[in-house]
RNA sequence: GGGAGAAUUCCCGAGUGGCCAAAGGGAACAGACUGUAAAUCUGUCGUCAGUGACUUCGGUGGUUCGAAUCCACCUUCUCCCA
């Protein structure tokens, strides 16, 4: 099966500018494509991960990827599909974020001669001359059309600044620049990028009279129509310091029944034949599917070893036996513990199991907290220093386990 | 540039001088039921040294015994006119 058909079968393709041409191009390894990443945080998240996977898939099929880091566009902020303005980032933060992205991507995609290439649009966007840009590029854009673009819809009601309105032009400029300087003939991106990407192909057509293509990836939505990869605490990050491999594993282990197969198909590299096979499995094996999903994604992002550890930890915690050495844990300085012990509620705050002491107490009150396997009922319960020296296991609710001990 | 409005706790959104830590909904968290799922029901949902105190209603000042509510200025946004 060729790559285009595979992408299709996995449900990854959302929109394409010209199906026949694109199929031809990527199936024969003739695409030099780029995907842009705006440095809005200091780590990549699940949404980026899909784009990286796509890149990898296409690279394996012989196409040449260009990773575009939005060091320049990061100064503007993409309004697509957003209801509020992005906060403006300072140059220092943008630079820092770019560096973090680069580090994470290097783990995932092969860079080098004839392999993937990484460029930063700060290199060409920051030096643009306003008047020149208006004449060279601005002349080719119809404000009437831009205003009709889907990506601005929401913002037409809530307000859109001129700064953000220009994001599309910058992205189009990127495509044009990469087309001329790196021979890029295709852009990939999330489906919310569609208008911006079309703007790029238009610009290339008008300025160069040449065809360029664009294709978007289906956004990963759960059965409720919400973007996946978000938790109460925010995004699911790829940086193990921000989302530990165990948490990452648990996120996928806990997806809705209705979303498992979709996730497996879209996110993992499990061969389609095997996926077809799994599709036929009996409902009773639903948890097995979730484990496969969680394991293979954790392995992709953090490596086999971490994935195995995460799985072992999960098994240990939820089946009651086995090695729980990798349970999320917090080490506390002995000096921070009073001589006669610390209140469990305080300890929970230190371990970030509760936002405030009051909330911790309420959790205990409601019967949601166990200490070393026994339910705690006293909101003033104290954990002694000796217990902490040995390490205590705190359980919040059914699924959150945490170990605390003195360093 | 002129005129009219808006800004409320994570989000949406009530509240127009004391009865307001602030209705209602959503999200989230916990309990019951389960399969580490969903649905459903129940509870919680500003902070703390837990029947009380303290800090919140865009910002800064002011009026008042008392302000989310009134006044002034500022900031941001929306709409109408140019």
């Amino acid at each position: 099966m060729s790559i285009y058909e595979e992408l299709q079968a996995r449900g990854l393709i959302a929109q394409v500018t010209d199906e026949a041409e694109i199929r031809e191009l990527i199936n024969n390894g003739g695409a030099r494509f780029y995907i842009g990443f705006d440095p809005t945080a200091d780590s990549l998240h699940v949404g980026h991960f899909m784009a990286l996977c796509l890149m990898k898939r296409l690279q394996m099929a012989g196409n040449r990827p260009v990773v575009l880091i939005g060091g320049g566009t990061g100064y503007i902020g993409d309004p697509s599909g957003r209801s509020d303005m992005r906060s403006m980032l300072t140059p220092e933060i943008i630079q820092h974020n770019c560096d973090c992205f680069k580090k994470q991507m290097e783990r995932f995609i092969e860079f080098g001669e004839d392999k993937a290439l990484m460029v930063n649009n700060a290199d060409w966007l920051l030096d643009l001359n306003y008047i020149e840009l208006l004449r060279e590029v601005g002349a080719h854009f119809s404000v009437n059309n831009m205003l009709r673009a889907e990506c601005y819809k929401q913002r037409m009601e809530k307000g859109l600044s001129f700064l953000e309105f220009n994001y599309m032009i910058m992205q189009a400029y990127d495509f044009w620049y990469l087309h001329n300087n790196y021979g890029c003939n295709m852009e990939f991106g999330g489906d919310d990028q569609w208008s911006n990407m079309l703007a790029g192909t238009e610009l290339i057509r008008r300025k160069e009279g040449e065809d360029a293509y664009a294709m978007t990836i289906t956004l990963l939505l759960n059965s409720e129509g919400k973007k996946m990869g978000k938790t109460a605490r925010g995004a699911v990050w790829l940086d193990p310091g921000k989302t530990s491999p165990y948490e990452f594993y648990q996120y996928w282990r806990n997806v809705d029944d209705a979303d498992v197969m979709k996730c497996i198909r879209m996110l993992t590299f499990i061969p389609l034949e095997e996926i077809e096979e799994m599709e036929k499995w009996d409902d009773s094996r639903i948890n097995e599917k979730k484990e496969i999903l969680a394991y293979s994604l954790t392995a992709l992002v953090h490596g086999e070893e971490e994935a195995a550890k995460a799985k072992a930890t999960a098994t240990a915690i939820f089946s009651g036996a086995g090695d729980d050495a990798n349970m999320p844990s917090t080490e506390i300085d002995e000096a921070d513990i009073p001589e006669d012990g610390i209140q469990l509620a305080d300890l929970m705050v230190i371990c970030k199991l509760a936002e405030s002491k009051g909330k911790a107490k309420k959790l205990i009150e409601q019967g949601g907290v166990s200490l070393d396997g026994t339910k705690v009922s006293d909101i003033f319960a104290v954990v002694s220093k000796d217990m902490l020296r040995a390490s205590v296991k705190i359980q919040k609710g059914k699924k959150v386990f945490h170990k605390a001990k003195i360093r």
Side-chain angles (χ1 to χ4, degrees):
Chain A
M1 183 184 270
S2 48
I3 182 70
Y4 190 89
E5 282 68 29
E6 168 153 13
L7 294 179
Q8 223 166 15
R10 286 184 184 271
L12 286 167
I13 299 177
Q15 303 188 73
V16 288
T17 49
D18 183 330
E19 181 164 354
E21 292 281 348
I22 291 175
R23 184 198 305 266
E24 171 82 12
L25 211 53
I26 65 174
N27 280 349
N28 296 317
R32 175 118 227 206
F33 65 98
Y34 94 91
I35 301 184
F37 298 86
D38 271 1
T40 47
D42 60 2
S43 169
L44 296 165
H45 54 68
V46 174
H48 296 125
F49 173 72
M50 282 188 80
L52 286 174
C53 284
L54 180 74
M55 231 169 206
K56 199 166 182 163
R57 289 193 163 98
L58 288 163
Q59 186 174 36
M60 293 189 316
N63 297 285
R64 291 185 304 163
V66 174
V67 171
L68 172 71
I69 303 259
T73 28
Y75 280 75
I76 298 177
D78 185 5
S80 299
R82 287 184 64 100
S83 53
D84 55 343
M85 186 162 123
R86 285 182 192 273
S87 48
M88 283 234 228
L89 300 168
T90 65
E92 292 75 35
I93 293 177
I94 292 173
Q95 190 52 50
H96 171 74
N97 292 348
C98 285
D99 294 343
C100 291
F101 273 27
K102 200 165 175 183
K103 232 176 275 166
Q104 285 183 6
M105 287 178 181
E106 276 165 352
R107 278 205 56 225
F108 206 75
I109 290 204
E110 273 188 88
F111 290 98
E113 283 293 311
D114 275 333
K115 288 181 182 149
L117 204 64
M118 183 180 283
V119 293
N120 186 335
N121 63 17
D123 294 344
W124 57 85
L125 292 183
L126 261 36
D127 296 329
L128 286 177
N129 171 297
Y130 193 57
I131 299 296
E132 208 178 297
L133 178 78
L134 284 179
R135 291 174 62 97
E136 287 288 318
V137 180
H140 296 293
F141 281 87
S142 150
V143 172
N144 311 48
N145 283 337
M146 286 174 75
L147 288 176
R148 269 192 290 272
E150 183 65 31
C151 61
Y152 295 129
K153 272 245 172 78
Q154 276 192 41
R155 299 299 294 279
M156 291 309 287
E157 287 156 29
K158 286 244 174 181
L160 175 70
S161 66
F162 186 65
L163 173 83
E164 292 177 282
F165 187 55
N166 276 267
Y167 187 92
M168 178 190 275
I169 294 177
M170 289 301 107
Q171 188 166 333
Y173 186 90
D174 281 344
F175 196 177
W176 176 56
Y177 183 93
L178 291 172
H179 175 81
N180 288 356
N181 294 276
Y182 294 90
C184 269
N185 48 15
M186 192 176 296
E187 176 177 3
F188 288 82
D191 202 31
D192 50 353
Q193 296 290 305
W194 182 241
S195 335
N196 295 342
M197 290 160 66
L198 282 182
T201 60
E202 280 286 300
L203 183 63
I204 292 168
R205 182 167 309 123
R206 294 193 183 179
K207 286 198 72 81
E208 310 299 329
E210 288 174 32
D211 283 330
Y213 307 96
M215 182 178 113
T216 58
I217 323 170
T218 313
L219 289 178
L220 184 61
L221 302 175
N222 64 18
S223 47
E224 285 164 10
K226 289 190 191 138
K227 263 194 200 183
M228 291 196 67
K230 290 260 159 82
T231 66
R233 272 192 243 154
V236 174
W237 304 103
L238 304 194
D239 177 352
K242 289 169 84 85
T243 300
S244 72
Y246 171 76
E247 286 172 288
F248 187 86
Y249 179 92
Q250 280 300 309
Y251 177 81
W252 298 107
R253 177 62 185 75
N254 282 307
V255 295
D256 283 10
D257 287 6
D259 298 322
V260 186
M261 286 317 294
K262 182 169 58 190
C263 288
I264 289 180
R265 214 191 312 271
M266 290 175 76
L267 296 170
T268 73
F269 282 80
I270 296 170
L272 280 165
E273 305 82 70
E274 277 180 46
I275 295 177
E276 289 309 318
E277 223 19 68
M278 288 170 73
E279 201 84 69
K280 294 183 201 139
W281 285 6
D282 192 76
D283 279 352
S284 62
R285 294 174 79 182
I286 185 78
N287 282 319
E288 206 176 317
K289 289 180 189 172
K290 292 187 186 181
E291 276 171 22
I292 290 171
L293 171 69
Y295 184 86
S296 58
L297 288 183
T298 313
L300 276 173
V301 175
H302 298 294
E304 290 279 343
E305 198 181 323
E306 287 299 327
K309 273 200 232 168
K311 187 175 181 180
T313 305
T315 311
I317 289 172
F318 289 100
S319 67
D323 174 30
D324 61 5
N326 295 295
M327 185 185 292
S329 65
T330 303
E331 299 197 335
I332 304 159
D333 275 325
E334 181 153 9
D336 293 338
I337 310 292
E339 266 321 301
D340 47 356
I342 184 170
Q343 277 191 19
L344 177 58
D346 284 318
L347 189 61
M348 287 175 69
V349 174
I350 292 173
C351 295
K352 299 203 170 72
L353 290 173
E355 283 167 58
S356 67
K357 192 169 178 179
K359 293 205 170 140
K361 283 181 179 169
K362 276 176 187 129
L363 277 171
I364 296 171
E365 207 167 36
Q366 292 184 99
V369 181
S370 296
L371 189 62
D372 284 334
T374 346
K375 191 152 277 189
V376 180
S377 51
D378 176 12
I379 61 170
F380 296 108
V382 170
V383 180
S384 75
K385 255 189 166 174
D386 281 341
M387 290 169 78
L388 276 171
R389 258 189 274 271
S391 107
V392 293
K393 191 158 68 179
I394 307 169
Q395 178 184 357
K396 187 195 106 173
K398 272 167 294 197
K399 291 185 237 172
V400 185
F401 294 79
H402 202 96
K403 220 159 34 176
K405 67 173 176 201
I406 286 176
R407 201 188 308 271

